[in-house]
Each structure stands twice: as C-alpha cells, then as structure tokens.
Amino acid sequence: AALSKLGMKGKYRVVNTKLGFKIAVYKKGDIVSNNIIKHGFWELGQSEEFFKKAEGLAQGRPAPTGCTSPPCHRYVGIDIGANVGWYTLLGAKRGWKMIGMEGTEKNAALIRLSLCLNPDIAERVQLRKALLGDEPKTCIIQYMEGNFGDGTMRCDPPSGGTEWTDEEIAKVEASPHVAAVEKGQIELLADVLRELEAKDPKMVSGGDIHALKIDVESSELLVLRGGGDLMPSKRVRTIFTEVWETLQGGKANYLTFLKDSGY
C-alpha cells in the first residue's frame, strides 16, 4: 500500500538473492536494482569482505553495555545511504544488529517491504527514513534517469535563499535526465542515533558500533560532521566509505576529518 501511494505500483519486483534473503528492488532504471536482478547480488565481494573484516577487528572488543543475550547482538552496524537495503539486509542475515538510514521515501518503502519478506532477520533491523547533513535546513533530492535509487542531495537553492521555491524545484524537475525530485528536511546523525537508542537501549547503549558504511553521493563529510562525538569518540570501529573527487566540503577535508578523528 505504501509503495502504491508513492506511485510505485508495478514498478518494483522481489528477487531471491544468492545469499539466502529476499529483496525488493526497482524493476528498471536503477543500477543497483539491475545488478541484483541480473546476478542475485550487489557488490558481493566488497560487501562480504567489509563485514568479515569488521568481525575480525571486533574480536576481543567489549559488547554493547548490558549485552549478554539476544535480542542484543554481538555486532552492531550502521548503513547510511542504504539505497534499496543490500548492506542492511546482508548484515542482518549475518547476525548483525543493523541500523539502516535512507533519505528517500521510495527506497525506504522498498526496504520496509524487504523486511516483511524476511521475518527471520527483520527483528535485527532498525530502519529510519532520515535525510542527514551538518545543519537543519530544507534540501532536495534529485533522482537521475538510469540510476533512480541513488538520489543526490542539493541544499543550496539557485536564488541563494534559504528555502527552495516551487519554481526552482520545477526547473530541476524539467532538467535533462532528471527523473524526479523530492524535498526533505535535514536531520543530524547525532540526533537520530539518540532517538534510536532511546527506543532500543540494547541496540548500542554507548558501546561500539562495529562497522559503518556510508554512501551518500558526495555528502559523506556533511553527514559525519552532524554525528557529534560519534567519530572522534572512536565508537565506530570500521568505516567503509565512498569518496568523490567532487565531494561536498572537499575530498581533502573529508580525509583530514577522518584522520583527525583517529582513523
């Protein structure tokens, strides 16, 4: 019903992956979904290696505070920019407690459907629809033809104002190769984590986050800056990040931020 309300009726399909879980994806027009439909997986070598390395590095580390038995899980991971949920679902399938954060309504709706299709791992996932950045403000997400699941965030209106006008959004929608535009309010990662921990104290409870994967189409620095003391505290043990030459805030500044945070 949620997908139909978003205009997705007949535009998605369910795939049985090669790793034993089901995933809902776009029927066409999306790189990640096309690969999952064709091969039964996405970034199989990279994604499995990421979790295996994180598990290896976590050996000997203390479990989250008060974690002695299920539903408190040994490993905790955060997937920022979850897309259609491959890393979130894969982590949960491996027994991790996964926090999936996704800024787009349609991707989040697909992940919710995937969780319904996988009741054996659904209880290990907290999904939060959240558009993350370094300061609260209104931004738009721009979806491109052929890569619909990857929305690019734009926070600075052409007029130089603080809010996107309907006319400005209409011009973006009319631009070549733009499939759709969505408007949203920026939240801070630190605030979202506090909210989630309040709902499920055993999820993290101030302990280690054993892995963080972040892929938000050049907004990585802005998102982690909004994490408060998350990175400087070194609660995150392993980071898997995409890095663009044209990264917002600057590639060099992003790498310096990670280095200054002890990574």
Side-chain angles (χ1 to χ4, degrees):
L3 286 165
S4 295
K5 289 179 181 178
L6 293 171
M8 289 284 288
K9 186 175 182 180
K11 295 182 180 180
Y12 66 92
R13 61 176 288 184
V14 175
V15 177
N16 292 307
T17 72
K18 290 190 175 181
L19 296 181
F21 58 87
K22 297 178 180 179
I23 186 169
V25 300
Y26 297 96
K27 271 188 177 180
K28 59 182 181 179
D30 176 56
I31 292 174
V32 174
S33 298
N34 292 347
N35 275 269
I36 293 174
I37 291 169
K38 184 176 181 179
H39 302 293
F41 59 81
W42 168 249
E43 294 183 345
L44 184 60
Q46 288 183 197
S47 55
E48 286 199 302
E49 181 184 9
F50 166 60
F51 283 108
K52 287 177 182 177
K53 282 189 174 182
E55 289 163 3
L57 290 169
Q59 295 300 317
R61 295 289 304 177
T65 303
C67 180
T68 56
S69 62
C72 178
H73 299 275
R74 176 63 180 148
Y75 303 119
V76 177
I78 300 179
D79 181 7
I80 300 177
N83 198 281
V84 295
W86 175 261
Y87 280 82
T88 297
L89 296 169
L90 174 58
K93 187 67 178 179
R94 294 179 67 90
W96 286 58
K97 183 72 176 184
M98 293 299 298
I99 305 163
M101 298 188 188
E102 172 53 41
T104 70
E105 291 284 1
K106 291 178 181 178
N107 284 355
L110 287 172
I111 297 172
R112 290 189 191 100
L113 175 56
S114 293
L115 293 175
C116 291
L117 296 169
N118 296 277
D120 58 319
I121 64 175
E123 65 91 24
R124 293 196 284 274
V125 175
Q126 277 207 16
L127 175 65
R128 177 63 151 75
K129 194 275 179 186
L131 190 60
L132 300 172
D134 60 351
E135 59 178 327
K137 56 185 172 182
T138 302
C139 299
I140 64 167
I141 304 173
Q142 170 180 297
Y143 304 91
M144 303 304 292
E145 294 175 355
N147 197 16
F148 196 77
D150 261 344
T152 301
M153 188 167 68
R154 295 179 59 183
C155 295
D156 298 318
S159 64
T162 58
E163 293 285 337
W164 284 81
T165 66
D166 291 340
E167 288 184 0
E168 288 171 328
I169 293 175
K171 285 183 180 179
V172 175
E173 289 175 324
S175 300
H177 310 299
V178 172
V181 175
E182 185 178 313
K183 190 176 180 181
Q185 185 68 26
I186 293 292
E187 298 182 76
L188 302 183
L189 175 59
D191 293 339
V192 174
L193 282 176
R194 276 193 292 269
E195 172 198 310
L196 295 177
E197 289 178 2
K199 289 181 179 178
D200 185 359
K202 288 187 176 182
M203 180 184 65
V204 178
S205 299
D208 284 350
I209 294 168
H210 301 97
L212 183 149
K213 167 256 172 185
I214 179 167
D215 182 353
V216 286
E217 301 304 302
S218 85
S219 297
E220 287 77 9
L221 175 58
L222 306 184
V223 171
L224 294 185
R225 276 180 175 167
D229 68 350
L230 177 66
M231 305 308 292
S233 69
K234 298 183 185 177
R235 286 178 61 196
V236 176
R237 307 303 305 170
T238 305
I239 304 170
F240 184 31
T241 179
E242 184 176 63
V243 181
W244 287 44
E245 290 293 338
T246 55
L247 189 138
Q248 294 186 53
K251 175 183 174 181
N253 289 335
Y254 183 40
L255 298 178
T256 298
F257 171 83
L258 293 176
K259 183 178 179 180
D260 289 347
S261 297
Y263 295 93

